């Protein structure tokens, strides 16, 4: 039996070592490939699309390295997990950098939290949203074994605002309830960093490595 291959997309942004190490820890029987080769990504059984930094740089590097097609193909054909900027890049556009066109795989925009973000007591909230926060799950196989309202680790100034509310797989409260995870068919995307989120994050990565979306997406 051929070993399952998970490609972690390397486009020069993000701590790919920590993502790859976490995947290897939770799925020792899986071959984890950190790669910027579109052909290897196309040949993988699953794809992880991580990232940190600015969306314009992300989109520019994806285009420069010839990887936009590989991401779109993965979104059409196989389990795809997008993380942080990877999640935002799936949308149609972002307000960041004065407005940036994204991949357009999922309908919606990426919006800035704003300079006047407040909690329910009227206290000013810092942007970026950084640190641990609760995630309120909607039913999805990737939440298997993860208690409701588990805390995950976030670092971001922008949030995803999907057009279709049925895409929302989880919400988080930071001055507003925003989509901290979205899902459609074989695509799952999270704003937080599962590789930095202790047991809950590792369980999500393990669930991804086992996920068979064709049996659950209808």
């Amino acid at each position: 039996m051929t070993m399952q291959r998970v490609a972690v997309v390397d486009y020069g942004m993000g701590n790919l070592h920590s993502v790859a190490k976490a995947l290897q820890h939770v799925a020792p029987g899986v071959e984890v490939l950190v790669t910027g080769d579109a052909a290897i990504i196309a040949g993988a059984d699953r794809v992880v699309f991580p990232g940190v930094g600015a969306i314009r740089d992300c989109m520019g590097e994806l285009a420069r390295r010839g990887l936009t097609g590989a991401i779109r193909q993965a979104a059409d054909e196989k389990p795809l997990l997008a993380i942080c900027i990877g999640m935002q890049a799936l949308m149609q556009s972002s307000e960041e950098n004065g407005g940036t066109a994204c991949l357009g795989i999922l309908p919606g925009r990426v919006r800035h939290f704003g300079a006047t973000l407040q909690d329910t007591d009227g206290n000013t909230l810092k942007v970026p949203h950084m640190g641990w926060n609760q995630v309120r799950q909607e039913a999805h196989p990737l939440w298997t074994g993860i208690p409701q309202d588990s805390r995950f680790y976030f670092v971001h100034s922008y949030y995803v605002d999907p057009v279709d509310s049925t895409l929302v797989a989880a919400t988080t409260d930071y001055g507003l309830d925003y989509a901290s995870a979205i899902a459609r068919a074989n695509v799952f995307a999270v704003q937080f960093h599962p590789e930095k989120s202790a047991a809950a994050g590792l369980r999500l990565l393990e669930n991804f490595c086992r996920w068979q979306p064709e049996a659950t997406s209808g």
Side-chain angles (χ1 to χ4, degrees):
M1 183 176 178
T2 304
M3 180 179 286
Q4 185 177 179
R5 306 172 84 192
V6 178
V8 178
V9 181
D10 181 4
Y11 55 103
M13 297 178 65
N15 187 354
L16 305 183
H17 175 72
S18 62
V19 176
K21 190 173 180 179
L23 287 164
Q24 289 165 345
H25 175 73
V26 300
V30 169
E31 184 181 8
V32 179
L33 304 168
V34 177
T35 180
D37 187 323
I40 293 175
I41 295 167
D45 300 291
R46 299 169 188 272
V47 174
V48 177
F49 177 30
V52 296
I55 192 68
R56 180 184 292 166
D57 295 337
C58 168
M59 296 307 303
E61 284 302 298
L62 287 174
R64 188 177 72 82
R65 297 169 187 240
L67 296 175
T68 53
I71 299 296
R72 289 195 174 100
Q73 181 183 12
D76 285 340
E77 297 179 355
K78 63 191 70 178
L80 171 67
L81 174 63
I83 298 171
C84 195
I85 289 295
M87 175 190 188
Q88 295 180 11
L90 299 183
M91 310 310 288
Q92 292 167 305
S93 64
S94 173
E95 293 179 349
E96 190 174 2
N97 303 128
T100 303
C102 299
L103 290 168
I105 291 169
L106 297 174
R109 295 191 68 198
V110 181
R111 303 187 185 279
H112 190 258
F113 275 121
T116 58
L117 200 63
Q118 294 182 331
D119 64 17
T120 53
D121 296 324
N123 300 311
T124 299
L125 294 172
K126 293 181 179 179
V127 178
H129 172 208
M130 182 180 297
W132 296 84
N133 205 342
Q134 289 183 324
V135 171
R136 184 73 181 172
Q137 307 164 14
E138 302 291 337
H140 193 280
L142 261 66
W143 299 124
T144 300
I146 302 173
Q148 182 64 278
D149 296 324
S150 288
R151 298 170 74 84
F152 291 82
Y153 189 80
F154 293 82
V155 184
H156 61 120
S157 301
Y158 294 79
Y159 66 94
V160 164
D161 182 16
V163 169
D164 184 353
S165 63
T166 65
L167 294 176
V168 178
T171 56
T172 293
D173 180 14
Y174 195 69
L176 68 156
D177 277 328
Y178 70 91
S180 51
I182 54 177
R184 187 180 69 186
N186 55 294
V187 175
F188 195 86
V190 295
Q191 183 60 66
F192 52 82
H193 288 271
E195 75 282 5
K196 298 179 181 179
S197 298
L202 291 176
R203 182 57 192 265
L204 187 141
L205 292 174
E206 181 182 356
N207 290 341
F208 173 72
C209 289
R210 296 179 175 177
W211 183 33
Q212 300 295 334
E214 62 274 10
T216 58
S217 59

